[in-house]
Amino acid sequence: GRDLVDENNEKFQLLGLSTHGLQWYGHYVNFDTFDALHNTFGINVIRLSLTTAEGGYCESSDEKKEYFYNIVKEGIKIATKLDMYVIVDWHMVGAEDDKDKNPLTYKDEAVQFFSRLSEEFKDYNNILYEIINGAFNANPFKFVIISSFISGIQRGVFSTEAGLGSGSIASI
């Protein structure tokens, strides 16, 4: 259905916030910050925004990509310890960066990233995969391009044996 439900089939609402670009704000991905957000402000979800451009994941060396990947992993593990949900956001800025206006530009990186992450965390049921998030209004072919990107991600990640894991959700 269209409602989110917990393991008892009870409806619930996600309340949370985003980290913004992890290349700028990755230092906030730590236990103390997540604990304060969860226990003081009552949030139950954190969105780990992995920006593809502007010094983000797709414009980085292999070493820096591994650093960003590890920030996402750490965020998932911390949120899980705190009984929180996690949105892993493949964030394409779009309007601000010409290379980032077309989601197909970084499709291979997205497939690699989500394949690895979904395999590693296949037994987790608190992860929501936001496989594309961005501003594509400047491109008149945005629907065709985004559909092609999603199709490629589905073939490259979500149809693998590992899949997303039991109870996981992918959003667009």
Side-chain angles (χ1 to χ4, degrees), residues 15-88:
L15 303 168
L17 54 91
S18 177
T19 60
H20 195 50
L22 291 174
Q23 74 270 33
W24 301 303
Y25 301 106
H27 58 281
Y28 290 112
V29 178
N30 63 67
F31 186 85
D32 290 340
T33 300
F34 284 22
D35 183 56
L37 291 170
H38 179 63
N39 290 310
T40 304
F41 298 103
I43 74 164
N44 61 3
V45 63
I46 189 79
R47 181 171 164 255
L48 301 172
S49 182
L50 186 64
T51 307
T52 56
E54 296 186 351
Y57 187 83
C58 294
E59 293 182 344
S60 296
S61 66
D62 288 344
E63 182 179 323
K64 192 73 169 178
K65 284 180 181 177
E66 189 66 17
Y67 169 77
F68 289 136
Y69 182 82
N70 287 328
I71 290 174
V72 172
K73 278 179 38 176
E74 185 65 15
I76 291 170
K77 290 176 181 179
I78 293 168
T80 301
K81 283 181 187 175
L82 292 168
D83 198 29
M84 293 170 58
Y85 287 87
V86 181
I87 299 171
V88 178

Side-chain angles (χ1 to χ4, degrees), residues 61-132:
S61 66
D62 288 344
E63 182 179 323
K64 192 73 169 178
K65 284 180 181 177
E66 189 66 17
Y67 169 77
F68 289 136
Y69 182 82
N70 287 328
I71 290 174
V72 172
K73 278 179 38 176
E74 185 65 15
I76 291 170
K77 290 176 181 179
I78 293 168
T80 301
K81 283 181 187 175
L82 292 168
D83 198 29
M84 293 170 58
Y85 287 87
V86 181
I87 299 171
V88 178
D89 169 23
W90 187 258
H91 195 91
M92 300 187 75
V93 180
E96 289 81 15
D97 187 313
D98 285 339
K99 292 184 295 185
D100 221 25
K101 287 182 181 176
N102 181 346
L104 296 177
T105 303
Y106 301 126
K107 185 178 82 172
D108 292 342
E109 287 94 335
V111 169
Q112 180 185 22
F113 175 81
F114 283 112
S115 293
R116 184 177 174 199
L117 196 70
S118 63
E119 172 63 26
E120 187 164 348
F121 291 97
K122 66 184 175 188
D123 295 327
Y124 285 58
N125 63 1
N126 62 324
I127 304 171
L128 292 85
Y129 295 93
E130 190 170 10
I131 63 172
I132 188 168

